[in-house]
Amino acid sequence: MQTPWIADTARYETARFRRSGRSGLQLPEISLGLWQNFGGVDHYETGRAVLRRAFDRGVTHFDLANNYGPPYGSAEENFGRIFAADFRPYRDELLISTKAGYDMWPGPYGNFGSRKYLVASLDQSLRRMGLDYVDIFYSHRLDPETPLEETMGALDHVVRQGKALYVGISSYSPEATRQAAAILKDLGTPCLIHQPSYSMLNRWIEDGLLDTLQELGIGRIAFSPLAQGMLTSKYLDGVPEDSRARRGRSLRTNLLSEGNIARIRELNAIAQRRGQTLAQMALSWVLRDPRVTSALIGARSVAQLDDSLDALKGAPLTAEELAEIDRHALDGGIDLWRASSTATAKAAG
């Protein structure tokens, strides 16, 4: 009989948390996402080791979506196996989130923001993960063809069913965020959190969204803070054969333009002077703003995870360092989610 895994008893001694908006919920300053590296094509035991190490270091939030893999659904399936083997005794210490909004199954009911799709998708996600409920369920993107009242009504519905404790939205514009939050408030299920992309090469949320979320009391968790690995040492000297760009996943090689590489090298030089890796400084930079609740990272290995989590050990960025970073932290044309964040919500009726 296999000996049960026991989490590190010191896991909360150095962990740091921030409150999500004006809610009662706190998130770790760094959360772990399973977008890449946990699917059916990846090594199961490596993913399991990463999840164990993350929890041992105080990472209580694991973020998924219905179509994470590849193939679709396989990240949730693998997480379900790991949860059953290792994490079930710690369920009440964990925040588990999932999302629906992108392509998942064939036909007209497996995409976007209809009530039918969202409710069916969450049921499938719960079965794959072996859970009775998730802590946060997100509308993964704005659906410009479905009335926002229907999408938000579906989020309210799953909370009332007991299948989710909280709900959130991802990649919504400031105006659509206001509309969604108002609908959810009227329904009695407040919007807990917004999940936008945000990094030194993708700063779109500074143009209104951060202020909107602060005003509304909604938390914000930044995904892709390392720009899908671009803000690491990986691409300083070209594109490695084992990189995400070479594997043809979400990072396309055309995003690694000469201009972006030049800016990444300048930012890396600043990080080295600070005694940090580029990834660590990129996370310190995202978390410099107290309006950001958590930075959502991915990790291919325990070593990569540890490197990112060690960002929390770094000294705060000085005003001089922030000014120098600003000269190089320019839009790199890497926002793959712009279609959603610029879409206009469809009115009911």
Side-chain angles (χ1 to χ4, degrees), residues 10-11 17 32 35 70 74 78 93 95 97 101 114 140 146 149 154 182 214 220 252 256 284 291-292 295 321 328 330:
R11 58 189 174 276
F17 294 82
L32 180 63
W35 178 24
S74 60
N78 282 337
E93 296 182 47
L95 285 175
S97 59
S114 71
H140 206 169
T146 296
E149 289 82 357
Q214 182 75 2
R220 42 293 354 156
R252 299 189 296 268
L256 295 164
S284 296
R291 294 173 297 177
V292 174
E321 288 169 336
H328 307 292
L330 306 175

Side-chain angles (χ1 to χ4, degrees), residues 140-335:
H140 206 169
R141 64 169 166 173
L142 185 100
D143 180 352
E145 298 301 324
T146 296
L148 201 53
E149 289 82 357
E150 179 176 342
T151 301
M152 296 304 107
L155 297 185
D156 171 70
H157 175 71
V158 298
V159 170
R160 295 182 186 279
Q161 283 185 311
K163 296 175 182 177
L165 299 184
Y166 302 91
V167 296
I169 57 178
S170 180
S171 300
Y172 278 47
S173 71
E175 180 56 32
T177 295
R178 286 185 182 278
Q179 294 172 315
I183 295 167
L184 286 170
K185 183 179 179 180
D186 287 345
L187 291 170
T189 299
C191 183
L192 172 82
I193 197 164
H194 188 298
Q195 187 177 131
S197 58
Y198 184 46
S199 72
M200 291 191 290
L201 298 178
N202 179 15
R203 301 178 64 168
W204 74 275
I205 69 172
E206 296 174 5
D207 189 20
L209 182 60
L210 279 173
D211 290 338
T212 297
L213 296 172
Q214 182 75 2
E215 176 189 337
L216 297 174
I218 297 172
R220 42 293 354 156
I221 177 170
F223 77 85
S224 202
L226 305 184
Q228 301 187 70
M230 292 174 65
L231 291 170
T232 69
S233 60
K234 185 180 299 181
Y235 298 106
L236 294 174
D237 300 311
V239 183
E241 288 301 321
D242 65 343
S243 66
R244 188 184 301 183
R246 287 290 189 205
R247 287 181 290 158
R249 293 203 182 178
S250 54
L251 179 60
R252 299 189 296 268
T253 54
N254 67 298
L255 301 181
L256 295 164
S257 64
E258 290 184 10
N260 280 344
I261 294 298
R263 284 189 285 273
I264 291 167
R265 287 172 178 158
E266 295 289 348
L267 292 167
N268 184 63
I270 301 170
Q272 288 182 327
R273 292 198 297 272
R274 280 178 48 80
Q276 286 186 307
T277 65
L278 177 55
Q280 289 167 353
M281 188 181 78
L283 292 167
S284 296
W285 183 86
V286 165
L287 292 168
R288 81 201 185 284
D289 192 325
R291 294 173 297 177
V292 174
T293 310
S294 183
L296 181 61
I297 65 166
R300 291 183 63 191
S301 65
V302 168
Q304 194 177 83
L305 172 75
D306 280 339
D307 181 76
S308 291
L309 294 178
D310 285 347
L312 300 179
K313 298 178 180 179
L317 289 155
T318 67
E320 293 76 14
E321 288 169 336
L322 288 170
E324 186 177 5
I325 288 170
D326 274 344
R327 292 198 291 271
H328 307 292
L330 306 175
D331 187 270
I334 65 168
D335 186 359

